[in-house]
Amino acid sequence: MKYVDEFRDGDLAKNIAANIAGEAHAGRAYRLMEFCGGHTHAISRYGLADLLPPNVRMIHGPGCPVCVLPIGRIDQAIRLAREQDVILCTYADTVRVPASANLSLMRAKAGGADVRMIYSTQDALKIARDNPQREVVFLAIGFETTTPPTAVAIRQAAAEGLKNFSILCDHVLTPAAMHAILAVEGGVALDGFVGPAHVSTVIGSKPYEPFADDYHKPVVIAGFEPLDVMQAILMLVRQVNDGRAAVENEFTRAVTREGNLKAQELVAEVFELRDAFEWRGLGSVPHSALKLRPQFAAFDAEQKFKVDYVAVPDNKACECAAILRGQKRPQECKIFGTVCTPENPVGSCMVSSEGACAAHYSYGRFRETA
């Protein structure tokens, strides 16, 4: 398949690995964070860490939209579904995220709440059209990749006068999270970032330039195929060796500096910045999430149903927060792979298909470490 098969060539991967090994200076460490959960899974699935020299270490970041949702946000959705008798629609991974009182959206559904898994915002709109007597709330989560479809849904609902449709908005922003990672006191030391792929197709490479200019941290945007990731690592090693800090784009087949201007205009029309938003692992991060603009307030479920957000501490046994900050690896959590598994997740990092714990468990990487 074009743009897939040629990016999974094992011989080429070994060649890039040889270049990384030859160019990485033996006397120094290279600490590189792959921000996006899609890259984390590619690294685990294809065994890319095994191809790297010991002094080149990949560190997992918070780029998993389900993982970074704090417990209080899931609680908020559960309260809506159980107490307001709404039809709550959301993407599949979200329904299994553990919440307070041993609940999850899936368990709330088993207890009688009308929770429905959907594949797109259009599914939620159809449910609202088909059930005019019921209130339909879409739990809108995700980074910049999934925000434009939500904006389209809001515009459609407004145009159609679909008054029984609203969203619980939990859309978050990538650059703000990267700033927070670098600003954490006593946080993980980093030499550079492998920048997100899909997010960057929307926002472009320009928003990463402050990380190079202000923090002197190189960023290389990479696709999700194994050769994409390996080439990005080589490009970062070369920047570190040269003492450079620039934003480079390995994923040129999909990402430009400006990004998708039409998608950005849609988002800007419908959404505005929140003053602050709580992230799992990062705490309250200023200007890191979106809310609906006042002209679309009729579609804001938080206002419509007066459902407030209440912060809830994480499970004390779970190390998801430290993993999302890059301070711990999944196998350093005491309950990883024993009490906490994909079948019985204790933390959100074990739930999502983009979670670091799920990646390590699914591809057996923790067994090698053990």
Side-chain angles (χ1 to χ4, degrees):
M1 184 182 293
K2 188 171 176 60
Y3 297 129
V4 174
D5 293 344
E6 65 266 43
F7 288 91
R8 296 180 180 178
D9 186 304
D11 291 334
L12 285 178
K14 291 176 183 176
N15 183 50
I16 298 173
N19 286 331
I20 293 171
E23 298 187 35
H25 297 163
R28 69 153 300 153
Y30 300 79
R31 299 153 300 189
L32 311 176
M33 174 174 281
E34 83 276 2
F35 180 91
C36 183
H39 288 137
T40 299
H41 270 251
I43 289 167
S44 291
R45 178 182 179 185
Y46 296 105
L48 302 186
D50 300 338
L51 298 176
L52 301 176
N55 59 330
V56 177
R57 180 190 167 196
M58 302 308 298
I59 298 168
H60 313 312
C64 162
V66 170
C67 304
V68 298
L69 266 188
I71 291 173
R73 290 291 170 185
I74 303 298
D75 286 352
Q76 192 179 30
I78 291 173
R79 289 202 305 275
L80 261 179
R82 297 174 80 185
E83 299 171 10
Q84 301 291 339
D85 193 34
V86 305
I87 299 174
L88 189 99
C89 303
T90 191
Y91 299 128
D93 280 354
T94 316
V95 301
R96 299 181 61 243
V97 177
S100 298
N102 202 32
L103 280 174
S104 65
L105 282 167
M106 182 174 285
R107 288 175 176 168
K109 177 180 176 68
D114 196 345
V115 177
R116 305 188 189 185
M117 291 177 283
I118 59 172
Y119 291 96
S120 78
T121 55
Q122 296 304 306
D123 294 339
L125 287 174
K126 184 177 186 304
I127 291 170
R129 295 186 195 105
D130 293 346
N131 297 271
Q133 76 287 359
R134 299 282 306 278
E135 290 286 341
V136 176
V137 177
F138 171 53
L139 176 53
I141 73 160
F143 288 93
E144 292 90 343
T145 316
T146 56
T147 308
T150 305
V152 170
I154 293 296
R155 281 185 48 173
Q156 283 183 266
E160 295 177 26
L162 206 57
K163 295 182 179 180
N164 66 324
F165 177 79
S166 59
I167 70 167
L168 193 57
C169 187
D170 291 328
H171 283 302
V172 291
L173 303 174
T174 299
M178 293 173 67
H179 278 291
I181 286 286
L182 293 172
V184 170
E185 188 174 346
V188 63
L190 297 174
D191 297 300
F193 289 94
V194 176
H198 292 159
V199 162
S200 302
T201 64
V202 176
I203 68 173
S205 63
K206 186 178 178 180
Y208 305 110
E209 291 172 5
F211 301 105
D213 297 338
D214 301 339
Y215 292 99
H216 202 69
K217 303 295 182 187
V219 179
V220 176
I221 298 162
F224 286 130
E225 297 302 327
L227 293 192
D228 286 318
V229 179
M230 292 295 289
Q231 181 63 26
I233 293 169
L234 177 59
M235 292 165 73
L236 283 169
V237 167
R238 287 172 173 170
Q239 284 205 53
V240 172
N241 287 347
D242 294 343
R244 293 185 298 116
V247 177
E248 295 181 331
N249 182 14
E250 183 277 338
F251 199 28
T252 54
R253 61 190 186 277
V255 173
T256 63
R257 183 173 184 268
E258 295 76 20
N260 186 327
L261 296 179
K262 185 173 183 179
Q264 293 171 27
E265 288 166 5
L266 269 171
V267 170
E269 176 189 340
V270 175
F271 294 102
E272 63 184 10
L273 284 174
R274 290 180 184 260
D275 291 335
F277 189 85
E278 185 183 359
W279 293 57
R280 190 188 300 258
L282 299 179
S284 182
V285 181
H287 306 124
S288 64
L290 300 174
K291 63 180 180 180
L292 288 171
R293 290 190 177 276
Q295 59 265 41
F296 296 104
F299 302 101
D300 187 338
E302 285 192 77
Q303 294 187 39
K304 190 174 188 177
F305 299 100
K306 304 294 188 292
V307 55
D308 295 327
Y309 171 70
V310 179
V312 178
D314 286 335
N315 188 312
K316 291 181 179 179
C318 174
E319 295 286 4
C320 270
I323 292 166
L324 290 167
R325 292 192 297 268
Q327 292 176 317
K328 287 195 174 183
R329 303 184 189 192
Q331 59 268 31
E332 292 173 337
C333 177
K334 293 179 180 178
I335 60 174
F336 172 80
T338 54
V339 175
C340 184
T341 66
E343 292 74 29
N344 180 47
V346 175
S348 58
C349 296
M350 189 61 90
V351 174
S352 173
S353 58
E354 294 188 0
C357 294
H360 277 251
Y361 188 91
S362 298
Y363 301 112
R365 295 291 155 196
F366 67 97
R367 297 191 185 95
E368 297 163 14
T369 306

